[in-house]
Amino acid sequence: MQSISANLNVMIKAAEKASRALIRDFGEIEKLQVSIKGPTDFVSNADLKAEKIIIEELKKARPYYSIISEEDGSETNKDKEHTWIIDPIDGTTNFLHGVPHFAISIALKSGDEIVSGLIYDPIKDEMFYAEKESGAFFNNQRIRVSKKRELNSCLFATGGITKNEVDLPLRKSGSAALDIAYVAAGRYDGYFQNDLNLWDIAAGIIMVKEAGGLINEIDLSQNKNIKIRASSMAINDKMLEKLKNF
């Protein structure tokens, strides 16, 4: 196993601890589908519970770091230079419907750049992570973006509302974090989406870069309305040409 930083080790432990609660809660979803109340409130509680576990673990190790999280909002602490960016369940609609495709996402921002990122799929036990100038990894194995050069042999991912048709082979999985992780791992050749939140894709930004891919410039001071265009270098220009009206 390659050496990892103390901060990434903290992130991994926090994700693994939260994942145990998420797996238990996900196991209850099927029973709740037929109840009168339904699973919506239950999922909100699962989200909050996972987030609480993650924040507690991160604070235990780094009490002064600031925090941006989906459920809890922003918390500016003594150390304003370092900020954890957390999404406890990316893919909540999938979770809600009992679809086993969602992830925990944790990133660390230092100054004006993401320096560490982790995306963990607890159901498949698949962990993607990356650190600045240290490469991107999947379950301890080095990953690289796809080497394909022709669009007709590629597979792309997107999400949200597609206002205009795009002439590319597409999938919509319901989890932005996993979509971008899959680009880093070469499973997808590219990923594009509009109107994202920072916590959806913060970890994926460094993952794609460290896996040898390209990603558009992103203003990390904005938490909402983020646009993503990520792919390998080989097809980036061709993909962007197809996305002119997207």
Side-chain angles (χ1 to χ4, degrees):
M1 181 178 172
Q2 87 290 353
S3 62
I4 59 173
S5 71
N7 279 332
L8 182 55
N9 195 45
V10 168
M11 292 158 71
I12 289 170
K13 287 182 176 176
E16 288 177 338
K17 187 169 183 181
S19 75
R20 292 193 280 274
L22 278 184
I23 289 167
R24 281 195 303 272
D25 287 342
F26 186 71
E28 297 293 315
I29 286 289
E30 199 171 314
K31 299 174 193 172
L32 288 163
Q33 298 290 355
V34 295
S35 73
I36 294 168
K37 187 179 179 185
T40 308
D41 292 338
F42 182 80
V43 172
S44 298
N45 289 333
D47 233 331
L48 289 167
K49 185 163 55 176
E51 184 177 76
K52 185 170 181 281
I53 292 168
I54 292 166
I55 290 174
E56 280 176 358
E57 288 299 303
L58 296 177
K59 277 188 171 181
K60 206 185 296 179
R62 302 288 184 268
Y64 300 121
Y65 281 18
S66 298
I67 293 168
I68 296 169
S69 61
E70 181 182 19
E71 301 299 326
D72 217 30
S74 297
E75 183 181 312
T76 303
N77 293 321
K78 283 184 185 177
D79 188 341
K80 299 178 181 67
E81 189 71 9
H82 294 94
T83 303
W84 300 115
I85 304 171
I86 304 159
D87 191 347
I89 308 178
D90 184 80
T92 45
T93 302
N94 287 345
F95 189 99
L96 175 66
H97 289 274
V99 177
H101 190 77
F102 54 88
I104 295 166
S105 178
I106 307 171
L108 177 61
K109 181 165 76 83
S110 178
D112 59 357
E113 66 177 337
I114 305 294
V115 294
S116 298
L118 174 150
I119 295 167
Y120 182 47
D121 179 338
I123 301 299
K124 303 180 193 72
D125 192 23
E126 293 190 338
M127 186 171 288
F128 305 84
Y129 55 91
E131 294 188 279
K132 186 183 177 184
E133 295 173 0
S134 295
F137 294 82
F138 162 66
N139 287 359
N140 302 327
Q141 299 296 314
R142 186 76 184 257
I143 53 174
R144 302 287 295 176
V145 292
S146 163
K147 293 179 180 176
K148 292 175 192 160
R149 295 185 170 276
E150 299 304 325
L151 293 185
N152 59 9
S153 63
C154 292
L155 183 62
F156 296 86
T158 189
I161 297 167
T162 308
K163 293 173 184 173
N164 297 308
E165 286 296 312
V166 178
D167 182 24
L168 289 169
L170 282 180
R171 293 289 180 272
K172 283 191 177 185
S173 79
S175 171
L178 286 175
D179 284 346
I180 201 166
Y182 282 16
V183 171
R187 295 179 179 179
Y188 287 140
D189 300 284
Y191 168 61
F192 49 89
Q193 191 169 337
N194 301 327
D195 302 320
L196 286 157
N197 301 312
L198 181 59
W199 46 83
D200 298 326
I201 46 81
I205 292 170
I206 187 163
M207 222 165 278
V208 168
K209 288 178 180 177
E210 288 295 321
L214 282 178
I215 193 161
N216 56 301
E217 281 298 315
I218 291 158
D219 181 357
L220 297 178
S221 67
Q222 302 296 314
N223 291 346
K224 306 262 185 183
N225 303 316
I226 293 170
K227 178 177 83 174
I228 285 286
R229 305 287 186 266
S231 75
S232 68
M233 292 185 187
I235 61 160
N236 195 255
D237 287 345
K238 295 176 185 176
M239 181 186 79
L240 294 179
E241 181 66 28
K242 294 280 189 180
L243 297 177
K244 278 183 176 175
N245 298 315
F246 181 76

